[in-house]
Amino acid sequence: MTVTRTQTATKTVVETKNRGLGVEDKDALKLEAALGHKQALSRGFGLFSLTSLGIIIANSWSLTGGTIVVAISNGGPMAVLYGLILVTIFYTLISASLAELVSSIPSSGGVYHWASVTAGPRYGRVVGWYAGFLNLCGWLLSAASISSTLGIELVALYQLSYPEVEWKSWQVFIAFQVVNWMCCCIVIFGNRYLPLINKIAFYLSMGGLFVTILVLAIMSRGRRASDTFVWKEYTDLSGWNNDGLCFILGLINAAFAVGTPDCQSHVAEEIPEPEKNVPKGIMIQIGTSFVTAFAYLIALFYSISDIELVLDSQSQFPTSEIYRQATGSTSGALGLTAVLFLATFPTLIGTLITGGRTFWTLSRDNAAPFGNFFTKISPTFGSPLRATIAVSAVTTCLGAIQVGSTTAFSALIGSYIVLSTLSYAGAILPHVLTGRKTIVPGPFHLGKAGFVINIISLLYIAVTVVFFCFPFAMPVEAGNMNYTSVIVSGFVVLITFWWFVHGAWNYEGPKYYKEAAKQFADSGSIGIAELS
């Protein structure tokens, strides 16, 4: 089989040179020869639209606003700002580790495909299975968290207009479902326009950030917080009475802001020269996420004139209270919250794009339930319509939990960070244990620094996975318990159950023909030079 594939790759390389094929045709040939998949989706993304997708999925500045209260309780503004710097450093290393892998294996399967290859032929099938489903579960929880954030923002907008209305969880549930299915329809029916939508969303997000910072800076004059409050004052309202532990627990806010480095890899089969463009997009995304979130948080924290009112806000969206303090009026808070909603809305579109593609790749390799059904690409819209609808349907079910238990739903959102980083470890750890020799280096290669970067990334993941399962407040009660460990364990049990029911007998895993990949690398179709 290896000889046949290598001969085929050699023939393909010669044809690529002699026939003068276009870039997209070459990418399709490489996808089939080296990774064993036929081109099913059109390569309509470019570097700018791809990077825009990554930036709007992270949308770090707008999403930090919705989770800022937990972080303020765990150290205050100072801990949030310095924590963001620290987390960004570690996520930059994780991003570099993943960028190296996608440069070698530009598959829409992302960490699922990489883990299957880096673990080697003996363990790759089972390691890839767990990495793939953990990653999918992470994206499902991400879709639920973004839908919830948008739902909360919509209800907050209504409550700002009608303050006499009492906050009810069913109101958020209705808004949750409306935005979830609106975005789903945009993804499945507007597939050919997604690159354009991503570009528009990028300008919308950056414009919203600029307007928000400008309004906060100008209108909060005379009511600004002190430099000491923002940069030096450490506030522990968690009840842990341990500054170090309190600080680590507060890092989840920063991780939520920048913790989506794999999102662009899931459209690797929809962009020309993915082995070059996707790594570029990943590294641009992490830099942009940090700069935008840091600038927004500084403006936001200086706008706080009464922290007690923020913490005691009657709504579940206390950012609107900060906006009210900054502008001095309800109408000002209403306007800034509307800007925040419009900037956050495309994030759910990008998340459903990624989640749908992830489920589609698992179905393509016969890992997901009813894989033959969900792997179909809509001939009319050119999108994985069935897989995307399935992701939105599961998101709907996760949203129903909010009606019964706000605490349980909050734990689902926190579990997203743990599940996604565990899936990254599933690809990076075997890469280290096998001496980083199971893949052919792509254009973005870490070289001798790779071992150090990979190991530091794994250490960060190990530490945060443990501490992010700790209760965020003491003493522990039913209303503040962190159920992350229970949820993650539950998903692992379900994944294991499905492995023994289906995977162990019917699942082969994604392909990677190393000799074929080497043929392309040696030919110059995929250079081994540093990324330019």
Side-chain angles (χ1 to χ4, degrees):
M1 182 65 179
T2 302
V3 174
T4 302
R5 181 65 60 170
T6 303
Q7 291 174 342
T8 301
T10 302
K11 180 181 178 181
T12 302
V13 170
V14 174
E15 290 178 348
T16 298
K17 291 181 177 181
N18 294 340
R19 287 158 52 192
L21 296 178
V23 173
E24 293 188 21
D25 294 322
K26 295 177 183 178
D27 290 328
L29 291 172
K30 288 184 287 186
L31 177 67
E32 182 175 0
L35 302 182
H37 289 304
K38 292 184 179 296
Q39 186 71 44
L41 299 170
S42 62
R43 295 184 182 265
F45 283 84
L47 178 59
F48 180 55
S49 59
L50 174 76
T51 305
S52 298
L53 173 65
I55 291 173
I56 65 170
I57 288 178
N59 223 344
S60 57
W61 76 268
S62 63
L63 293 181
T64 50
T67 59
I68 202 63
V69 160
V70 174
I72 288 179
S73 300
N74 287 274
M78 181 196 80
V80 175
L81 291 170
Y82 294 132
L84 178 62
I85 296 173
L86 180 64
V87 168
T88 300
I89 292 173
F90 285 111
Y91 263 98
T92 299
L93 301 180
I94 294 174
S95 297
S97 299
L98 300 185
E100 180 184 45
L101 292 173
V102 74
S103 185
S104 295
I105 310 172
S107 164
S108 291
V111 293
Y112 155 65
H113 204 142
W114 310 333
S116 300
V117 176
T118 58
R122 184 175 180 181
Y123 302 106
R125 198 164 66 104
V126 66
V127 172
W129 175 275
Y130 278 92
F133 276 106
L134 288 173
N135 190 249
L136 174 63
C137 291
W139 283 110
L140 288 171
L141 296 179
S142 177
S145 67
I146 303 303
S147 298
S148 177
T149 300
L150 289 169
I152 290 172
E153 289 173 357
L154 275 178
V155 176
L157 284 169
Y158 186 81
Q159 197 175 48
L160 283 169
S161 302
Y162 302 94
E164 70 278 3
V165 176
E166 185 179 356
W167 187 285
K168 299 290 185 180
S169 59
W170 64 263
Q171 299 166 341
V172 177
F173 174 75
I174 297 298
F176 178 112
Q177 302 305 338
V178 170
V179 295
N180 174 34
W181 288 104
M182 281 181 61
C183 291
C184 180
C185 290
I186 292 173
V187 172
I188 60 179
F189 298 133
N191 186 70
R192 69 182 63 183
Y193 304 109
L194 290 181
L196 176 61
I197 291 173
N198 289 331
K199 293 177 183 178
I200 295 173
F202 171 79
Y203 290 120
L204 186 65
S205 178
M206 294 300 104
L209 173 65
F210 177 77
V211 169
T212 300
I213 291 178
L214 196 65
V215 171
L216 291 177
I218 294 175
M219 298 194 70
S220 64
R221 290 180 180 178
R223 296 185 295 271
R224 290 179 182 172
S226 65
D227 292 338
T228 300
F229 172 77
V230 175
W231 298 102
K232 299 179 181 179
E233 188 174 301
Y234 194 88
T235 306
D236 181 4
L237 302 178
S238 66
W240 274 103
N241 297 321
N242 185 313
D243 290 348
L245 181 58
C246 177
F247 176 77
I248 293 175
L249 294 177
L251 295 179
I252 195 169
N253 176 260
F256 190 72
V258 300
T260 59
D262 70 303
C263 61
Q264 297 181 53
S265 68
H266 296 288
V267 292
E269 296 172 28
E270 299 173 64
I271 182 173
E273 298 187 297
E275 67 278 357
K276 294 181 179 179
N277 287 322
V278 177
K280 289 179 181 178
I282 290 175
M283 301 313 294
I284 293 173
Q285 174 190 331
I286 188 68
T288 306
S289 295
F290 168 73
V291 171
T292 54
F294 197 68
Y296 172 74
L297 287 173
I298 291 175
L300 191 71
F301 288 146
Y302 271 108
S303 300
I304 298 175
S305 57
D306 190 336
I307 187 63
E308 294 300 327
L309 280 179
V310 174
L311 295 173
D312 294 337
S313 176
Q314 295 300 310
S315 76
Q316 294 183 20
F317 191 67
T319 303
S320 60
E321 171 60 27
I322 300 178
Y323 287 162
R324 191 194 63 78
Q325 292 182 16
T327 61
S329 66
T330 300
S331 58
L334 185 68
L336 287 180
T337 303
V339 170
L340 193 64
F341 174 82
L342 292 175
T344 307
F345 186 81
T347 301
L348 183 56
I349 296 175
T351 302
L352 292 177
I353 292 173
T354 302
R357 266 58 171 182
T358 303
F359 184 58
W360 171 70
T361 56
L362 288 168
S363 300
R364 180 174 63 179
D365 289 322
N366 194 29
F370 308 105
N372 290 333
F373 177 80
F374 289 113
T375 193
K376 301 296 183 182
I377 298 294
S378 169
T380 304
F381 302 105
S383 66
L385 184 147
R386 297 175 181 179
T388 305
I389 291 177
V391 169
S392 277
V394 175
T395 302
T396 293
C397 296
L398 293 174
I401 298 175
Q402 178 163 312
V403 177
S405 173
T406 303
T407 301
F409 188 75
S410 299
L412 285 176
I413 297 174
S415 300
Y416 147 68
I417 297 294
V418 173
L419 287 166
S420 61
T421 51
L422 282 176
S423 72
Y424 304 156
I428 299 172
L429 179 59
H431 192 37
V432 173
L433 295 178
T434 55
R436 296 169 43 85
K437 297 178 180 179
T438 55
I439 62 175
V440 177
F444 185 87
H445 185 52
L446 298 177
K448 295 180 179 179
F451 271 110
V452 176
I453 292 174
N454 292 161
I455 291 172
I456 295 176
S457 299
L458 290 169
L459 290 174
Y460 168 81
I461 291 172
V463 171
T464 54
V465 162
V466 172
F467 282 104
F468 287 172
C469 292
F470 279 41
F472 289 103
M474 293 292 286
V476 179
E477 300 173 353
N480 62 17
M481 179 61 187
N482 186 352
Y483 293 99
T484 296
S485 59
V486 178
I487 293 170
V488 173
S489 299
F491 277 123
V492 171
V493 169
L494 289 175
I495 294 169
T496 302
F497 172 78
W498 183 239
W499 167 260
F500 285 109
V501 170
H502 173 79
W505 323 106
N506 303 294
Y507 168 73
E508 294 184 3
K511 307 301 180 184
Y512 178 68
Y513 301 100
K514 188 173 182 179
E515 290 301 321
K518 191 174 186 303
Q519 286 286 331
F520 282 108
D522 292 343
S523 74
S525 294
I526 307 177
I528 306 181
E530 290 298 319
L531 189 65
S532 58

